Structure formats: C-alpha cells, structure tokens
Amino acid sequence: MANGNDYLIEKKPLNALIIFALPMIIGNLFQQTYTMADSAIVGRLVGEQALAAVGASYSLTNIFICVAIGGGIGASVIVSRYFGAKEYNKMRLAVYTAFIAFLVVSLLLAVLGLLLGRQIMILLNTPADVLDMASKYLSIYFMGLPFLFMYNVVSSMFNALGKSRIPLCFLIFSSLFNILLDFCFVKYLGLGVAGVAWATLIAQGISAALSFGVFLTVLHHLSYDSDHSNLRKFKESHDLIHEWAESKKAVPESPPLSAGLFSREELFSMTRIALPSILQQSIVSIGMMLVQSVVNSFGSQALAGFSAAMRVESICIVPMAAIGNAISSFTAQNIGACKEDRVSEGYRAANKMVIFCAVIICLILELFARPITLFFLGDEGTPTAVKTSLGYLYFIGWFFCLIGFKMAVDGLLRGAGDMKMFTVANLVNLFIRVTVSVTLAPRLGIAMVWYSVPIGWFTNWAISFSQYRTGKWRKVTEPAERTL
C-alpha cells in the first residue's frame, strides 16, 4: 500500500491522477466562480459598461495570474523530483528559494502594473466609455499582486508534495468570502467596479496568509517525520547505544544553517522550467491581450459579450489545466523515483480524463449557452452583446478536447524538463491566434477571433506530441541528475 505522500509513484496511474487532479479541478472551479461573480455582479448591478471594463482588464490581469501559476508549476517540478527521490534537505532549500524569488518578482510586477496599467489599456484601444473604470480596477488589482503570487506558489508547493486537497480548502474559503464581499461592496456600499477589485484583494490576501502558515507547518512535519524515520531505522539496525549516540549528529532535526534559505543553483533549475511553463500557462492570455484591440474596435457592447464568453471559457479550461498540472507532478515524481515507465501510462490515463471532461463541457455549452450568457448580461443585455457571447460559446464548445490533449502532453514534457519543443509549440500557438485574429477579424468579422483558437490548440498539440513520440524526454534528466 502506498503511504499518504507516495501515491503518485505507487498507485495505478489513472487512480493516482484522479485523486491528485480532482481537488485541483474543484478548487480552480471555485476560483473561477468568484471571477464569474465579479463579472455577473457588476454586469447585473452596475451595468453593461462595468462588465466591459472588467472584461477589458481581464486579458491583462490574467497574464499576471498565469505568471504566478506558471512560475509555481516550474518550481513545483523541482520540488516534486526531490520529493520523489526523498532528498528532503534539498527540497526545503528549493522551497525557500522559490518563495524569496517570487516575492521579489511580484513586488516588481506590482510596481510596473501601477505605473503602466492605464497606458496599456490605452494601447489596447479600450473604449473611452470604460477606460476610467478599467484603470481603477487595475490599480487596486496590482496592489494585491504579492498575495496572488504567494497563494499560487504555495498551492504549487502543496501539489508538489501530493497534497492537492489542502489548497482546495483555502480556495473554497476565498471564493465564498470574495462573493460575500462583492455583494457588500457593490450592492450595499455602491463602490461599483472598485468594489469587486477590493473584494478580490482582501479575500486573496487572507487566504494567502493562512495557506502560507499551514504550508510551513506541513513542511516542518514532513521534515521531522522523515528525519526521525531514518533515526528509527538506524537504531533498529544497531545494537550498541554508543554507536547510535555518535551517529545521531548526522541526522539533523532541522535544515543545517549552512544550507541557507536561497540557492542560485536551485533558482536556475526552477527558471529553466518556469519560464516556458509561464509561457504555456499565459499563452491564451497573451494572445487575448494582443487581439484585445481587435475586439475593442467593435465597441463596448461586443466587448461585454466577448467578456462574458471568455469567463465561461476560462471555467471550461479548468479541468484541462488541472489534468496538465497533475501529469506534470506525476511525471516529475516518477522520474525522481526512477520509474519512467509509469509516465507513459499516466499520459494515456490523462487523455482518457480529457475526453470525459470534453464531452461534458460540450453538452453543457450546446444546451445551456443562452442562460449562461444571460447570467452575466441580464435580461437587458443588448442584442450585440448576446449575439457575440452565443457565437463564441456555441463554436468553441466542440473543441475543448484539443486544449486538453495539448495541456496533457505539455504537462508531461514540462515534468520531464523537456522544454525546447514545448516552448516552440506554445509560441506557434500564440502566433497563429494573433495572426488570424488581427488579419481576418477586421475584414470578416469578430468571429475570426474565436475561429483562430482551435487552430492554435491543435497545432500546439501536434508539435508537442511529436516531441513526446521521439522519446527524447526520457533522456533530458540523466540518472545522476534525477535527484538534481
């Protein structure tokens, strides 16, 4: 029987991935629920322009979210390998290095966002009637960026240890608390778009602080248990008490002070995986920001409908992203434990999960796209907004299997540290989406923006899958390096 920490390298791949991914799916759905609540509350209680303002900000803010998630995933790959190899002292050093690095990055990005947020919105041709509201929303959002980074990095660290249920609890708390604050700030205090921004900042800040404290406790107990487990084994294998007393010094109960809290070598290893991972995680958001000017040129009504559809798409992508992140940790832990044969089994299991989720998503969108759209826009939504949202959802519902397949194979390559073709594939994806949208949408209509999406997803999958089939990912981490 696998113990509570080793199930990713011991249980059957499909069972292990379901156990690992399900809490992430539920948690991310809750996370998306409060972003939906932000949009629905401002759309119904403030107006369509307010929804357009939040939507205009979404493509930019989501890039920062994806930087946090992608960076956390990159760090978690290193931590997962150490965990699979039971190199706990190195694992602790990697964790501390990640926290320090991302604190610095989040503060720098927050300052840049506060200084340049409005100018970026202007460059994206944000409609003049929503520019001020969008800028106000962004200024508050950027003040909470360090909390956003802290929470996502902590969640990735929990996932690296196979403890994906713990972040779920904090996500549920944060989501429900955020929705409660939305109602208070918008409906009763009349703060409008600023109210949903403050609600998100406060909810994420409290959740980040609590999850960080719990993670430090879990890390301490993991280290304590592993050290004392080694000590018990040593005592059982030796008869002489004085031999045990002499060797006890070799089993520290806490990380040696000489190890420090930061390592350039660990930072380099994380960065090598984190940068392509950030690109992969943010590829949709970067693409949408670059084509945002195209959508904005159709006016605030079309932007409102497009924003509603994008919120729905972001929810539909959640299970696919969770499966990709799960196979990434699964791959990293099994490589660390020298069990590469399980990786391909896990990949096939992940694709089965993708197909199951894609069928459910397609049925929901084709049957319920209209009531979902009206949930955001209300019964008074303009015909242009409703038409835009429905056009997007009815079309894209058939293609979520493509992004699922893409994320599964990308997750495997990322977990193996095979980042070259991974990066190329995601850049090609971005290029296709931007090129098709920018060149064809002004001539053939706004629908070209979403027609480009499955083309990019499929091309990305084809490139990454070809790299997987070569088997080169098995050779990226040499045996001597598997414990890094």
Side-chain angles (χ1 to χ4, degrees), residues 27-346:
N28 288 339
L29 285 174
F30 270 95
Q31 189 174 41
Q32 291 297 332
T33 295
Y34 73 70
T35 63
M36 282 182 61
D38 289 350
S39 298
I41 288 171
V42 297
R44 297 175 72 93
L45 299 181
V46 183
E48 200 171 86
Q49 286 186 335
L51 174 60
V54 174
S57 308
Y58 179 71
S59 61
L60 178 59
T61 59
N62 210 39
I63 289 177
F64 290 93
I65 293 174
C66 291
V67 170
I69 294 174
I73 291 173
S76 73
V77 168
I78 303 300
V79 174
S80 290
R81 289 187 188 171
Y82 284 142
F83 182 79
K86 302 188 185 304
E87 294 279 352
Y88 295 114
N89 282 337
K90 292 182 179 180
M91 182 190 75
R92 288 194 293 267
L93 179 59
V95 168
Y96 297 141
T97 299
F99 282 138
I100 293 172
F102 285 111
L103 174 61
V104 174
V105 170
S106 66
L107 291 173
L108 291 174
L109 291 178
V111 172
L112 289 175
L114 287 169
L115 293 176
L116 303 176
R118 185 180 180 87
Q119 286 72 19
I120 294 174
M121 288 291 98
I122 294 174
L123 290 174
L124 294 176
N125 296 324
T126 303
D129 55 347
V130 302
L131 178 60
D132 288 339
M133 285 189 288
S135 299
K136 183 182 294 185
Y137 179 89
L138 283 174
S139 63
I140 299 170
Y141 175 87
F142 285 124
M143 286 190 287
L145 205 59
F147 296 120
L148 171 72
F149 268 72
M150 178 188 292
Y151 175 77
N152 281 284
V153 173
V154 171
S155 294
S156 295
M157 294 297 103
F158 276 125
N159 293 336
L161 303 182
K163 297 181 179 293
S164 57
R165 295 181 183 179
I166 297 178
L168 170 61
C169 297
F170 288 108
L171 267 176
I172 293 174
F173 163 77
S174 178
S175 301
L176 296 178
F177 188 43
N178 191 97
I179 293 172
L180 176 63
L181 292 177
D182 279 341
F183 274 106
C184 292
F185 291 167
V186 177
K187 185 174 183 179
Y188 298 109
L189 298 181
L191 297 179
V193 169
V196 297
W198 280 116
T200 300
L201 187 154
I202 294 170
Q204 283 188 342
I206 294 175
S207 182
L210 292 175
S211 61
F212 181 70
V214 172
F215 177 78
L216 291 181
T217 302
V218 169
L219 185 64
H220 170 75
H221 284 299
L222 177 64
S223 304
Y224 181 88
D225 291 343
S226 64
D227 290 340
H228 281 70
S229 175
N230 292 333
L231 182 57
R232 286 193 299 271
K233 292 178 181 178
F234 184 84
K235 290 172 67 178
E236 291 171 357
S237 63
H238 292 74
D239 295 325
L240 300 177
I241 300 299
H242 71 277
E243 290 182 0
W244 165 76
E246 288 297 322
S247 60
K248 182 180 179 182
K249 298 177 182 178
V251 188
E253 296 188 1
S254 60
L257 292 177
S258 60
L261 297 177
F262 187 84
S263 166
R264 291 183 180 179
E265 291 77 11
E266 299 297 345
L267 180 62
F268 175 78
S269 297
M270 292 178 191
T271 302
R272 185 177 62 84
I273 297 176
L275 288 179
S277 180
I278 288 170
L279 177 63
Q280 186 264 343
Q281 288 289 320
S282 61
I283 205 71
V284 174
S285 299
I286 294 173
M288 293 318 302
M289 188 183 75
L290 293 175
V291 303
Q292 187 76 58
S293 59
V294 177
V295 177
N296 291 342
S297 67
F298 287 87
S300 59
Q301 292 181 1
L303 175 58
F306 182 76
S307 300
M310 283 299 299
R311 292 297 193 188
V312 178
E313 180 189 291
S314 65
I315 293 176
C316 295
I317 290 175
V318 161
M320 307 307 181
I323 293 169
N325 294 340
I327 193 64
S328 181
S329 293
F330 179 90
T331 300
Q333 282 201 21
N334 280 279
I335 287 178
C338 298
K339 295 184 176 182
E340 289 90 343
D341 290 342
R342 284 174 52 85
V343 174
S344 294
E345 297 177 35

Side-chain angles (χ1 to χ4, degrees), residues 25 120 149 202 229 311 356 366 379 405-406 455 458:
I25 292 173
I120 294 174
F149 268 72
I202 294 170
S229 175
R311 292 297 193 188
F356 176 79
E366 297 308 312
D379 295 332
F405 294 145
K406 158 194 142 41
I455 301 174
F458 175 79

